[in-house]
Amino acid sequence: MTRGPLHMIGNAHIDAVWLWQWQEGYQEVRATFRSALDRMDEYPDYVFTADSVAYFSWIAEHDPGLFDRIRKRVAEGRFEIVGGWWVEPDCNLPGGEAFVRHALYSQRWLAEHLGVIATVGCNVDPFGHNATLPQLLSKARLDSYAFLRPQSHERELPGQKFWWESMDGSRVLAYRIPHEYCSPGGEISGHVTKALQQLPVTTEPLMVFYGVGNHGGGPTIENIESIKQLAQRDLFPTMFPSTMRRFFDEARGFDDIPVHSTELQPHAIGCYAAHSEVKRQNRLAEQLLLAAEKWATVAGVLSGTPDATAELGHAWKQVLFNQFHDIAAGTAIEPAYDDARDQLGEAKSIAARLANRSIQSIARQIDVPAEAKMVPVAVFNPHPWPVTATVELELGYPAPLRGAIAVTEGLAGRSLEMQEIRSAATANGRRRVAFVAELPALGYQLYTLRPGESAYHLGTPSRDDLVLDNGIVRVEVDPKTGWLKSLATADGPNLVPAKKKQVAHAQVIDDDTDTWSHGVRSLWKASGAFEVTRIRRLADGPVRQIVRVESAYERSTLVEEYVLDAGAESVEVRVTIDWREQLKTLKLCFPFALDDAEATHEIPYGHLVREQNREEVPSHAWVDLSGPGGGVALLNDGKYSFAVDGSVDGRPVLAMTCVRSPVYAWHDPRQLDDDGVYEYLDQGIQKFRYRLQPHAGDWRTAGVVRQAALLNQPVTPLIECFHRGPLPEQQSFASVEGPDADQVVLSVLKKDEDDNGAVVVRGYETSGREASVTIALPFLGRSVETVFRPGEVKTLVLGAAEDAPAVEVDLLEWDPNKPPPGVIR
């Protein structure tokens, strides 16, 4: 049987950062692209394919002559640009909106500077692919997708090519690259043979990648001559230099292409946990930018603050670059993370500055009449639904309120409970207080602080038991284990199982796998556990109750402060780990008394039900276990690696992998020397928070998505001064309304990228059910009625004119029914 034809894709996968820093990657991009252009001059039929728009922006900014050569070859169709994203990111860890921005900024850059956009998605090196990607790809005008991992020995798929489908019904034609995306620099008969061994015997078109890669290089003269020679041999299919676009156009012309409708996992499960700090800083940067965009958009309308689109775009690109798979996955060399720290820090700094400018410009317009010994506080809620949250506030020096404090909603509203908590400063003249605020949807509420009759002080708890109870949630801490004796809603059963089989809470796992954990799917063999060294109650006031547990394991320490606030639906645990172990992993384990529980995990702009088989899986801000009678959600602000064991007495144990300490950039089959000197990941102090939310019903009825969003994008309090202004004590600027409103999260409120004075809103359906909602934007005097399909991500543009109808656009903010602006062909 004749096979093929075989489309040979000349490429040079370039790791911008891996065993080198970005400056070396920057130079290698230039050298590789110049080599590709030289090969085109020598071979008239040679075609080169490249992705990662950041690389083209590098060339444009420092070598305009080379960029002009690229532009000409792109126009000829011989320099094919695929991917359509800023880099090849890790395809599990970025948030849903980050994937949108990869396409938004990249496709627009290509249209402006090269007159094309990419139509083929390409992520050949990342370590697995989340289930929402087909929708995010197709709505960014990418109709096809090439990937390598998981490879055939890691995951059986319905075919070499298949329709990959998201929950909302979006599809792309996906193709798993056989063997490798790189080849040796010489003749490539062995490379092609290994690829053909993994490909089906068919007359349909097939695709094989070749070219020197990882550190760049691209196809060599020997590679190109080798293809010509192999094409003459009877044992090989007809083969020729080709483009991915040509391959996918031919491949989609056949019937009976199978469908795959879930994630593409697993590969390199250690990457979900390696290098805790870069992962948490990525989460913080994403959330700060999303909040800053919302407030900048509102402030631009209300206050006329300068447009921040360019600054925000620059900050987003710093985040996107550091989502490169070998950075975000924790697999690069140690010095690369100094660069990541600085670049993510720049993004966070820009977001913080713009958010502060915007919030202050809004707050100065609130009408606050002067009053002696009164301190006004405006609290801002970035979420488009009403929020109840505990506000922590540092009072300045010299403090106008030196004694007891009373807090009032508004200028003369109801009185609230106030509690003094530990200040960030150990000095006289500073104090920190906490109170529970009820805030309108995406807006603010004014509060006033005045001299009062009493204030509860942190250092004077009135009892020493280990029970936390706010009338909504009840928790009891076990003094022996540091974990819980009970966890329940006010009228629900205890969700902590009886101790027939004790499951240690803070388990230490022997982990001698490399940085990626190659060849492993589970990290579960415990070799020890942290043991309690001290436990005590820190507070039991009207606003906050705290129990502090201190534990130790060999050279490492663990502090968990269980914090239960008035009105809270979950207990928060504030974690400080000082980790000094090597080639070990720390898991926090949560056994629950739940029968027939289903494990649901948040993924980028979606959710997925997964097996309870102890395998590490990439999850985002929440994981929920729900049975017929209720369940528990685990929320977090910076962890991504989770596993569920459903085999303990038929009841689940949820594990959050918090720390892994392999050697930096250690790759099998390289073995460690017994007396070698190495640098190990995750050494030292890290801090993060998680929450346990017991609930009746399932995660949908419990509002878990919104609770996790509030943990990751908290409210902002601002001490104000006295001034007259047009704004009232309370104001909402945006909300989602209607009977299905709880199903939709409005995640983005921003200015349009074309500087037309339009406002862009983006939301997604969270429950997997159709939702009809009204998006109200009172700061614009506008509202929009729309319907979300199950799991749909929807983008709407509201033009500057008040009577302009809202227009649904794709993720690039273009009319999906029109050609891309600026694209010449």
PDB file of all heavy atoms in Angstrom, residues 91-92 127-131 149-151 154-157 260 262-269 272 521 603 608 610 615-618:
ATOM      1  N   CYS A  91       0.586  24.818  28.703  1.00  0.00           N
ATOM      2  CA  CYS A  91      -0.818  24.830  28.275  1.00  0.00           C
ATOM      3  C   CYS A  91      -1.776  24.327  29.353  1.00  0.00           C
ATOM      4  O   CYS A  91      -2.922  23.995  29.061  1.00  0.00           O
ATOM      5  CB  CYS A  91      -0.978  24.026  26.987  1.00  0.00           C
ATOM      6  SG  CYS A  91      -0.219  24.853  25.568  1.00  0.00           S
ATOM      7  N   ASN A  92      -1.278  24.285  30.594  1.00  0.00           N
ATOM      8  CA  ASN A  92      -2.124  23.935  31.733  1.00  0.00           C
ATOM      9  C   ASN A  92      -2.209  25.048  32.763  1.00  0.00           C
ATOM     10  O   ASN A  92      -3.260  25.265  33.362  1.00  0.00           O
ATOM     11  CB  ASN A  92      -1.591  22.672  32.431  1.00  0.00           C
ATOM     12  CG  ASN A  92      -1.756  21.429  31.598  1.00  0.00           C
ATOM     13  OD1 ASN A  92      -2.844  21.166  31.078  1.00  0.00           O
ATOM     14  ND2 ASN A  92      -0.699  20.655  31.458  1.00  0.00           N
ATOM     15  N   PHE A 127       3.682  20.582  28.015  1.00  0.00           N
ATOM     16  CA  PHE A 127       3.565  19.301  28.707  1.00  0.00           C
ATOM     17  C   PHE A 127       2.104  18.951  29.012  1.00  0.00           C
ATOM     18  O   PHE A 127       1.716  18.760  30.167  1.00  0.00           O
ATOM     19  CB  PHE A 127       4.388  19.354  29.996  1.00  0.00           C
ATOM     20  CG  PHE A 127       5.743  19.970  29.796  1.00  0.00           C
ATOM     21  CD1 PHE A 127       6.220  20.948  30.641  1.00  0.00           C
ATOM     22  CD2 PHE A 127       6.547  19.586  28.734  1.00  0.00           C
ATOM     23  CE1 PHE A 127       7.469  21.519  30.450  1.00  0.00           C
ATOM     24  CE2 PHE A 127       7.799  20.150  28.523  1.00  0.00           C
ATOM     25  CZ  PHE A 127       8.261  21.122  29.384  1.00  0.00           C
ATOM     26  N   GLY A 128       1.298  18.840  27.971  1.00  0.00           N
ATOM     27  CA  GLY A 128      -0.128  18.565  28.121  1.00  0.00           C
ATOM     28  C   GLY A 128      -0.943  19.791  27.772  1.00  0.00           C
ATOM     29  O   GLY A 128      -0.438  20.922  27.753  1.00  0.00           O
ATOM     30  N   HIS A 129      -2.251  19.589  27.503  1.00  0.00           N
ATOM     31  CA  HIS A 129      -3.083  20.639  26.933  1.00  0.00           C
ATOM     32  C   HIS A 129      -4.470  20.588  27.556  1.00  0.00           C
ATOM     33  O   HIS A 129      -5.127  19.543  27.554  1.00  0.00           O
ATOM     34  CB  HIS A 129      -3.168  20.462  25.414  1.00  0.00           C
ATOM     35  CG  HIS A 129      -1.824  20.309  24.766  1.00  0.00           C
ATOM     36  ND1 HIS A 129      -1.172  21.341  24.131  1.00  0.00           N
ATOM     37  CD2 HIS A 129      -0.980  19.238  24.702  1.00  0.00           C
ATOM     38  CE1 HIS A 129       0.008  20.913  23.698  1.00  0.00           C
ATOM     39  NE2 HIS A 129       0.140  19.644  24.032  1.00  0.00           N
ATOM     40  N   ASN A 130      -4.934  21.740  28.089  1.00  0.00           N
ATOM     41  CA  ASN A 130      -6.207  21.759  28.820  1.00  0.00           C
ATOM     42  C   ASN A 130      -7.402  21.674  27.892  1.00  0.00           C
ATOM     43  O   ASN A 130      -7.317  21.980  26.699  1.00  0.00           O
ATOM     44  CB  ASN A 130      -6.280  22.993  29.720  1.00  0.00           C
ATOM     45  CG  ASN A 130      -6.609  24.261  28.962  1.00  0.00           C
ATOM     46  OD1 ASN A 130      -7.744  24.517  28.609  1.00  0.00           O
ATOM     47  ND2 ASN A 130      -5.579  25.081  28.705  1.00  0.00           N
ATOM     48  N   ALA A 131      -8.531  21.272  28.450  1.00  0.00           N
ATOM     49  CA  ALA A 131      -9.700  20.907  27.653  1.00  0.00           C
ATOM     50  C   ALA A 131     -10.446  22.097  27.060  1.00  0.00           C
ATOM     51  O   ALA A 131     -11.311  21.911  26.202  1.00  0.00           O
ATOM     52  CB  ALA A 131     -10.662  20.079  28.511  1.00  0.00           C
ATOM     53  N   ARG A 149       2.856  16.222  22.845  1.00  0.00           N
ATOM     54  CA  ARG A 149       2.654  15.539  24.119  1.00  0.00           C
ATOM     55  C   ARG A 149       1.214  15.715  24.592  1.00  0.00           C
ATOM     56  O   ARG A 149       0.663  16.802  24.441  1.00  0.00           O
ATOM     57  CB  ARG A 149       3.630  16.091  25.160  1.00  0.00           C
ATOM     58  CG  ARG A 149       5.084  15.988  24.709  1.00  0.00           C
ATOM     59  CD  ARG A 149       6.014  16.469  25.828  1.00  0.00           C
ATOM     60  NE  ARG A 149       7.402  16.298  25.433  1.00  0.00           N
ATOM     61  CZ  ARG A 149       8.170  17.292  24.990  1.00  0.00           C
ATOM     62  NH1 ARG A 149       7.681  18.506  24.894  1.00  0.00           N
ATOM     63  NH2 ARG A 149       9.422  17.075  24.655  1.00  0.00           N
ATOM     64  N   PRO A 150       0.647  14.681  25.200  1.00  0.00           N
ATOM     65  CA  PRO A 150       1.230  13.388  25.550  1.00  0.00           C
ATOM     66  C   PRO A 150       1.502  12.536  24.303  1.00  0.00           C
ATOM     67  O   PRO A 150       0.720  12.547  23.352  1.00  0.00           O
ATOM     68  CB  PRO A 150       0.178  12.737  26.437  1.00  0.00           C
ATOM     69  CG  PRO A 150      -1.118  13.350  25.987  1.00  0.00           C
ATOM     70  CD  PRO A 150      -0.782  14.761  25.612  1.00  0.00           C
ATOM     71  N   GLN A 151       2.601  11.789  24.371  1.00  0.00           N
ATOM     72  CA  GLN A 151       2.959  10.928  23.256  1.00  0.00           C
ATOM     73  C   GLN A 151       2.187   9.609  23.330  1.00  0.00           C
ATOM     74  O   GLN A 151       1.446   9.357  24.281  1.00  0.00           O
ATOM     75  CB  GLN A 151       4.473  10.720  23.247  1.00  0.00           C
ATOM     76  CG  GLN A 151       5.220  12.005  22.907  1.00  0.00           C
ATOM     77  CD  GLN A 151       6.718  11.886  23.028  1.00  0.00           C
ATOM     78  OE1 GLN A 151       7.253  11.873  24.130  1.00  0.00           O
ATOM     79  NE2 GLN A 151       7.401  11.803  21.889  1.00  0.00           N
ATOM     80  N   GLU A 154       1.982   7.544  26.379  1.00  0.00           N
ATOM     81  CA  GLU A 154       1.412   8.192  27.554  1.00  0.00           C
ATOM     82  C   GLU A 154      -0.107   8.314  27.498  1.00  0.00           C
ATOM     83  O   GLU A 154      -0.769   8.320  28.542  1.00  0.00           O
ATOM     84  CB  GLU A 154       2.008   9.598  27.703  1.00  0.00           C
ATOM     85  CG  GLU A 154       3.505   9.590  27.966  1.00  0.00           C
ATOM     86  CD  GLU A 154       4.115  10.972  27.860  1.00  0.00           C
ATOM     87  OE1 GLU A 154       3.857  11.668  26.856  1.00  0.00           O
ATOM     88  OE2 GLU A 154       4.849  11.356  28.787  1.00  0.00           O
ATOM     89  N   ARG A 155      -0.667   8.407  26.306  1.00  0.00           N
ATOM     90  CA  ARG A 155      -2.112   8.570  26.187  1.00  0.00           C
ATOM     91  C   ARG A 155      -2.568   8.055  24.836  1.00  0.00           C
ATOM     92  O   ARG A 155      -2.061   8.458  23.792  1.00  0.00           O
ATOM     93  CB  ARG A 155      -2.496  10.048  26.338  1.00  0.00           C
ATOM     94  CG  ARG A 155      -3.962  10.383  26.100  1.00  0.00           C
ATOM     95  CD  ARG A 155      -4.854   9.803  27.181  1.00  0.00           C
ATOM     96  NE  ARG A 155      -6.267  10.022  26.926  1.00  0.00           N
ATOM     97  CZ  ARG A 155      -6.997  10.975  27.515  1.00  0.00           C
ATOM     98  NH1 ARG A 155      -6.434  11.834  28.351  1.00  0.00           N
ATOM     99  NH2 ARG A 155      -8.285  11.083  27.280  1.00  0.00           N
ATOM    100  N   GLU A 156      -3.520   7.134  24.871  1.00  0.00           N
ATOM    101  CA  GLU A 156      -4.122   6.659  23.629  1.00  0.00           C
ATOM    102  C   GLU A 156      -5.166   7.665  23.176  1.00  0.00           C
ATOM    103  O   GLU A 156      -6.002   8.113  23.955  1.00  0.00           O
ATOM    104  CB  GLU A 156      -4.770   5.292  23.845  1.00  0.00           C
ATOM    105  CG  GLU A 156      -5.341   4.694  22.569  1.00  0.00           C
ATOM    106  CD  GLU A 156      -5.940   3.306  22.780  1.00  0.00           C
ATOM    107  OE1 GLU A 156      -5.711   2.736  23.881  1.00  0.00           O
ATOM    108  OE2 GLU A 156      -6.627   2.827  21.872  1.00  0.00           O
ATOM    109  N   LEU A 157      -5.098   8.024  21.904  1.00  0.00           N
ATOM    110  CA  LEU A 157      -6.044   8.968  21.331  1.00  0.00           C
ATOM    111  C   LEU A 157      -6.797   8.291  20.193  1.00  0.00           C
ATOM    112  O   LEU A 157      -6.370   7.249  19.687  1.00  0.00           O
ATOM    113  CB  LEU A 157      -5.297  10.207  20.823  1.00  0.00           C
ATOM    114  CG  LEU A 157      -4.676  11.081  21.928  1.00  0.00           C
ATOM    115  CD1 LEU A 157      -3.768  12.142  21.317  1.00  0.00           C
ATOM    116  CD2 LEU A 157      -5.753  11.730  22.786  1.00  0.00           C
ATOM    117  N   HIS A 260     -12.481  13.901  19.842  1.00  0.00           N
ATOM    118  CA  HIS A 260     -11.947  13.796  21.211  1.00  0.00           C
ATOM    119  C   HIS A 260     -12.427  15.022  21.975  1.00  0.00           C
ATOM    120  O   HIS A 260     -12.256  16.153  21.514  1.00  0.00           O
ATOM    121  CB  HIS A 260     -10.421  13.744  21.177  1.00  0.00           C
ATOM    122  CG  HIS A 260      -9.782  13.601  22.518  1.00  0.00           C
ATOM    123  ND1 HIS A 260      -9.747  12.405  23.198  1.00  0.00           N
ATOM    124  CD2 HIS A 260      -9.163  14.512  23.328  1.00  0.00           C
ATOM    125  CE1 HIS A 260      -9.116  12.577  24.355  1.00  0.00           C
ATOM    126  NE2 HIS A 260      -8.757  13.845  24.451  1.00  0.00           N
ATOM    127  N   THR A 262     -11.994  15.900  25.527  1.00  0.00           N
ATOM    128  CA  THR A 262     -11.480  16.208  26.851  1.00  0.00           C
ATOM    129  C   THR A 262     -10.017  16.623  26.731  1.00  0.00           C
ATOM    130  O   THR A 262      -9.507  16.807  25.619  1.00  0.00           O
ATOM    131  CB  THR A 262     -11.656  15.019  27.817  1.00  0.00           C
ATOM    132  OG1 THR A 262     -11.338  15.428  29.149  1.00  0.00           O
ATOM    133  CG2 THR A 262     -10.796  13.835  27.420  1.00  0.00           C
ATOM    134  N   GLU A 263      -9.349  16.762  27.861  1.00  0.00           N
ATOM    135  CA  GLU A 263      -7.986  17.273  27.857  1.00  0.00           C
ATOM    136  C   GLU A 263      -7.010  16.279  27.244  1.00  0.00           C
ATOM    137  O   GLU A 263      -7.314  15.091  27.082  1.00  0.00           O
ATOM    138  CB  GLU A 263      -7.570  17.603  29.301  1.00  0.00           C
ATOM    139  CG  GLU A 263      -7.571  16.395  30.226  1.00  0.00           C
ATOM    140  CD  GLU A 263      -7.344  16.771  31.684  1.00  0.00           C
ATOM    141  OE1 GLU A 263      -6.869  17.895  31.958  1.00  0.00           O
ATOM    142  OE2 GLU A 263      -7.637  15.944  32.560  1.00  0.00           O
ATOM    143  N   LEU A 264      -5.833  16.785  26.913  1.00  0.00           N
ATOM    144  CA  LEU A 264      -4.743  15.953  26.394  1.00  0.00           C
ATOM    145  C   LEU A 264      -3.674  15.870  27.484  1.00  0.00           C
ATOM    146  O   LEU A 264      -2.817  16.747  27.604  1.00  0.00           O
ATOM    147  CB  LEU A 264      -4.177  16.564  25.112  1.00  0.00           C
ATOM    148  CG  LEU A 264      -5.168  16.736  23.955  1.00  0.00           C
ATOM    149  CD1 LEU A 264      -4.525  17.498  22.807  1.00  0.00           C
ATOM    150  CD2 LEU A 264      -5.694  15.400  23.482  1.00  0.00           C
ATOM    151  N   GLN A 265      -3.748  14.830  28.305  1.00  0.00           N
ATOM    152  CA  GLN A 265      -2.860  14.636  29.451  1.00  0.00           C
ATOM    153  C   GLN A 265      -2.557  13.140  29.544  1.00  0.00           C
ATOM    154  O   GLN A 265      -3.275  12.329  28.972  1.00  0.00           O
ATOM    155  CB  GLN A 265      -3.551  15.085  30.755  1.00  0.00           C
ATOM    156  CG  GLN A 265      -4.192  16.443  30.725  1.00  0.00           C
ATOM    157  CD  GLN A 265      -3.208  17.609  30.736  1.00  0.00           C
ATOM    158  OE1 GLN A 265      -1.990  17.415  30.663  1.00  0.00           O
ATOM    159  NE2 GLN A 265      -3.731  18.812  30.795  1.00  0.00           N
ATOM    160  N   PRO A 266      -1.553  12.758  30.364  1.00  0.00           N
ATOM    161  CA  PRO A 266      -0.609  13.618  31.074  1.00  0.00           C
ATOM    162  C   PRO A 266       0.766  13.552  30.434  1.00  0.00           C
ATOM    163  O   PRO A 266       1.074  12.664  29.651  1.00  0.00           O
ATOM    164  CB  PRO A 266      -0.575  12.964  32.455  1.00  0.00           C
ATOM    165  CG  PRO A 266      -0.640  11.481  32.137  1.00  0.00           C
ATOM    166  CD  PRO A 266      -1.511  11.361  30.894  1.00  0.00           C
ATOM    167  N   HIS A 267       1.597  14.499  30.811  1.00  0.00           N
ATOM    168  CA  HIS A 267       3.027  14.432  30.506  1.00  0.00           C
ATOM    169  C   HIS A 267       3.744  15.287  31.526  1.00  0.00           C
ATOM    170  O   HIS A 267       3.344  16.422  31.781  1.00  0.00           O
ATOM    171  CB  HIS A 267       3.328  14.954  29.105  1.00  0.00           C
ATOM    172  CG  HIS A 267       4.801  14.958  28.787  1.00  0.00           C
ATOM    173  ND1 HIS A 267       5.447  13.845  28.306  1.00  0.00           N
ATOM    174  CD2 HIS A 267       5.757  15.919  28.911  1.00  0.00           C
ATOM    175  CE1 HIS A 267       6.729  14.122  28.135  1.00  0.00           C
ATOM    176  NE2 HIS A 267       6.948  15.379  28.497  1.00  0.00           N
ATOM    177  N   ALA A 268       4.786  14.758  32.140  1.00  0.00           N
ATOM    178  CA  ALA A 268       5.642  15.518  33.055  1.00  0.00           C
ATOM    179  C   ALA A 268       4.828  16.124  34.191  1.00  0.00           C
ATOM    180  O   ALA A 268       4.762  17.339  34.360  1.00  0.00           O
ATOM    181  CB  ALA A 268       6.408  16.593  32.291  1.00  0.00           C
ATOM    182  N   ILE A 269       4.241  15.242  35.005  1.00  0.00           N
ATOM    183  CA  ILE A 269       3.333  15.692  36.060  1.00  0.00           C
ATOM    184  C   ILE A 269       4.045  16.483  37.153  1.00  0.00           C
ATOM    185  O   ILE A 269       3.409  17.237  37.898  1.00  0.00           O
ATOM    186  CB  ILE A 269       2.553  14.499  36.658  1.00  0.00           C
ATOM    187  CG1 ILE A 269       3.506  13.400  37.194  1.00  0.00           C
ATOM    188  CG2 ILE A 269       1.613  13.917  35.613  1.00  0.00           C
ATOM    189  CD1 ILE A 269       3.842  13.535  38.630  1.00  0.00           C
ATOM    190  N   TYR A 272       3.539  20.477  37.371  1.00  0.00           N
ATOM    191  CA  TYR A 272       2.408  21.174  37.971  1.00  0.00           C
ATOM    192  C   TYR A 272       2.779  21.801  39.312  1.00  0.00           C
ATOM    193  O   TYR A 272       2.064  22.683  39.800  1.00  0.00           O
ATOM    194  CB  TYR A 272       1.225  20.225  38.191  1.00  0.00           C
ATOM    195  CG  TYR A 272       0.871  19.337  37.022  1.00  0.00           C
ATOM    196  CD1 TYR A 272       0.304  18.077  37.228  1.00  0.00           C
ATOM    197  CD2 TYR A 272       1.093  19.729  35.701  1.00  0.00           C
ATOM    198  CE1 TYR A 272      -0.028  17.238  36.179  1.00  0.00           C
ATOM    199  CE2 TYR A 272       0.769  18.900  34.647  1.00  0.00           C
ATOM    200  CZ  TYR A 272       0.214  17.649  34.891  1.00  0.00           C
ATOM    201  OH  TYR A 272      -0.105  16.815  33.851  1.00  0.00           O
ATOM    202  N   ARG A 521       3.325   9.098  37.031  1.00  0.00           N
ATOM    203  CA  ARG A 521       2.005   9.706  37.003  1.00  0.00           C
ATOM    204  C   ARG A 521       1.490  10.080  38.392  1.00  0.00           C
ATOM    205  O   ARG A 521       0.542  10.847  38.514  1.00  0.00           O
ATOM    206  CB  ARG A 521       0.989   8.762  36.342  1.00  0.00           C
ATOM    207  CG  ARG A 521       1.232   8.564  34.857  1.00  0.00           C
ATOM    208  CD  ARG A 521       0.023   7.969  34.174  1.00  0.00           C
ATOM    209  NE  ARG A 521       0.210   7.874  32.737  1.00  0.00           N
ATOM    210  CZ  ARG A 521      -0.765   7.653  31.866  1.00  0.00           C
ATOM    211  NH1 ARG A 521      -1.998   7.491  32.300  1.00  0.00           N
ATOM    212  NH2 ARG A 521      -0.520   7.573  30.583  1.00  0.00           N
ATOM    213  N   ILE A 603     -10.293  24.337  35.463  1.00  0.00           N
ATOM    214  CA  ILE A 603      -9.282  24.470  34.427  1.00  0.00           C
ATOM    215  C   ILE A 603      -9.457  25.860  33.810  1.00  0.00           C
ATOM    216  O   ILE A 603     -10.402  26.573  34.157  1.00  0.00           O
ATOM    217  CB  ILE A 603      -9.408  23.354  33.363  1.00  0.00           C
ATOM    218  CG1 ILE A 603     -10.764  23.428  32.656  1.00  0.00           C
ATOM    219  CG2 ILE A 603      -9.216  21.976  34.000  1.00  0.00           C
ATOM    220  CD1 ILE A 603     -10.903  22.470  31.486  1.00  0.00           C
ATOM    221  N   LEU A 608     -13.642  20.452  34.874  1.00  0.00           N
ATOM    222  CA  LEU A 608     -13.527  19.093  34.351  1.00  0.00           C
ATOM    223  C   LEU A 608     -13.674  18.112  35.497  1.00  0.00           C
ATOM    224  O   LEU A 608     -13.076  18.289  36.561  1.00  0.00           O
ATOM    225  CB  LEU A 608     -12.159  18.920  33.686  1.00  0.00           C
ATOM    226  CG  LEU A 608     -11.980  17.745  32.719  1.00  0.00           C
ATOM    227  CD1 LEU A 608     -12.884  17.881  31.509  1.00  0.00           C
ATOM    228  CD2 LEU A 608     -10.515  17.673  32.262  1.00  0.00           C
ATOM    229  N   ARG A 610     -12.725  14.572  36.947  1.00  0.00           N
ATOM    230  CA  ARG A 610     -11.605  13.665  36.725  1.00  0.00           C
ATOM    231  C   ARG A 610     -11.704  12.441  37.620  1.00  0.00           C
ATOM    232  O   ARG A 610     -12.422  12.438  38.623  1.00  0.00           O
ATOM    233  CB  ARG A 610     -10.284  14.384  36.995  1.00  0.00           C
ATOM    234  CG  ARG A 610      -9.915  15.471  35.991  1.00  0.00           C
ATOM    235  CD  ARG A 610      -8.540  15.985  36.288  1.00  0.00           C
ATOM    236  NE  ARG A 610      -8.008  16.880  35.261  1.00  0.00           N
ATOM    237  CZ  ARG A 610      -7.625  18.127  35.495  1.00  0.00           C
ATOM    238  NH1 ARG A 610      -7.733  18.648  36.714  1.00  0.00           N
ATOM    239  NH2 ARG A 610      -7.114  18.871  34.535  1.00  0.00           N
ATOM    240  N   GLU A 615      -3.483  10.070  40.506  1.00  0.00           N
ATOM    241  CA  GLU A 615      -2.611  10.721  39.542  1.00  0.00           C
ATOM    242  C   GLU A 615      -2.606  12.233  39.752  1.00  0.00           C
ATOM    243  O   GLU A 615      -3.642  12.838  40.023  1.00  0.00           O
ATOM    244  CB  GLU A 615      -3.046  10.398  38.115  1.00  0.00           C
ATOM    245  CG  GLU A 615      -2.795   8.944  37.722  1.00  0.00           C
ATOM    246  CD  GLU A 615      -3.072   8.689  36.251  1.00  0.00           C
ATOM    247  OE1 GLU A 615      -3.337   9.669  35.515  1.00  0.00           O
ATOM    248  OE2 GLU A 615      -3.017   7.521  35.832  1.00  0.00           O
ATOM    249  N   GLU A 616      -1.422  12.844  39.609  1.00  0.00           N
ATOM    250  CA  GLU A 616      -1.316  14.297  39.672  1.00  0.00           C
ATOM    251  C   GLU A 616      -2.008  14.900  38.452  1.00  0.00           C
ATOM    252  O   GLU A 616      -1.828  14.436  37.323  1.00  0.00           O
ATOM    253  CB  GLU A 616       0.156  14.729  39.675  1.00  0.00           C
ATOM    254  CG  GLU A 616       0.932  14.314  40.896  1.00  0.00           C
ATOM    255  CD  GLU A 616       0.515  15.054  42.150  1.00  0.00           C
ATOM    256  OE1 GLU A 616       0.528  16.308  42.152  1.00  0.00           O
ATOM    257  OE2 GLU A 616       0.181  14.374  43.142  1.00  0.00           O
ATOM    258  N   VAL A 617      -2.798  15.938  38.700  1.00  0.00           N
ATOM    259  CA  VAL A 617      -3.495  16.627  37.619  1.00  0.00           C
ATOM    260  C   VAL A 617      -3.338  18.129  37.815  1.00  0.00           C
ATOM    261  O   VAL A 617      -3.214  18.613  38.939  1.00  0.00           O
ATOM    262  CB  VAL A 617      -4.987  16.250  37.570  1.00  0.00           C
ATOM    263  CG1 VAL A 617      -5.163  14.787  37.201  1.00  0.00           C
ATOM    264  CG2 VAL A 617      -5.680  16.561  38.891  1.00  0.00           C
ATOM    265  N   PRO A 618      -3.349  18.892  36.715  1.00  0.00           N
ATOM    266  CA  PRO A 618      -3.236  20.350  36.826  1.00  0.00           C
ATOM    267  C   PRO A 618      -4.601  20.990  37.039  1.00  0.00           C
ATOM    268  O   PRO A 618      -5.503  20.842  36.212  1.00  0.00           O
ATOM    269  CB  PRO A 618      -2.641  20.742  35.474  1.00  0.00           C
ATOM    270  CG  PRO A 618      -3.141  19.681  34.529  1.00  0.00           C
ATOM    271  CD  PRO A 618      -3.290  18.425  35.324  1.00  0.00           C
TER     272      PRO A 618
END
